[in-house]
Amino acid sequence: MSDRQEIEKTVRRLIEPFNKKGVALTDSTTFAGDLEWDSLTVMDFVAAVEDEFDIIITMNMQAEIETVGQLVDAVGRLKG
């Protein structure tokens, strides 16, 4: 399994407790639109991702990350 696949698997696991509507996740699933997350949910989720991967996602990066795929790629870059 590639690094990206490992990261994606972990990100999907981290999303599950926040996926109240049971939305099917793809790379193009959006956090605001598809998952309907508010800013508090986003903050809680980002904290979980940062803790899991031991990384820091800046506010500027958060503003640019709209989809699951973008998050997986960003985590990959930050871990690199």
Side-chain angles (χ1 to χ4, degrees):
M1 195 177 287
S2 74
D3 279 353
R4 190 182 192 285
Q5 287 172 315
E6 283 291 330
I7 293 168
E8 183 175 0
K9 183 177 164 188
T10 303
V11 165
R12 286 172 177 259
R13 177 177 52 78
L14 293 171
I15 289 172
E16 281 311 309
F18 299 98
N19 189 359
K20 304 293 187 211
K21 298 189 185 252
V23 174
L25 301 175
T26 68
D27 265 5
S28 60
T29 301
T30 61
F31 298 108
D34 297 325
L35 295 171
E36 298 179 15
W37 288 0
D38 59 21
S39 57
L40 185 60
T41 303
V42 170
M43 286 175 51
D44 288 345
F45 174 68
V46 167
V49 170
E50 289 176 332
D51 289 348
E52 178 74 28
F53 291 104
D54 195 26
I55 58 174
I56 299 292
I57 301 174
T58 65
M59 293 300 282
N60 286 345
M61 286 184 74
Q62 287 179 41
E64 295 173 7
I65 297 171
E66 297 178 359
T67 68
V68 172
Q70 288 172 334
L71 176 63
V72 170
D73 292 338
V75 169
R77 287 192 303 275
L78 289 168
K79 281 186 58 172

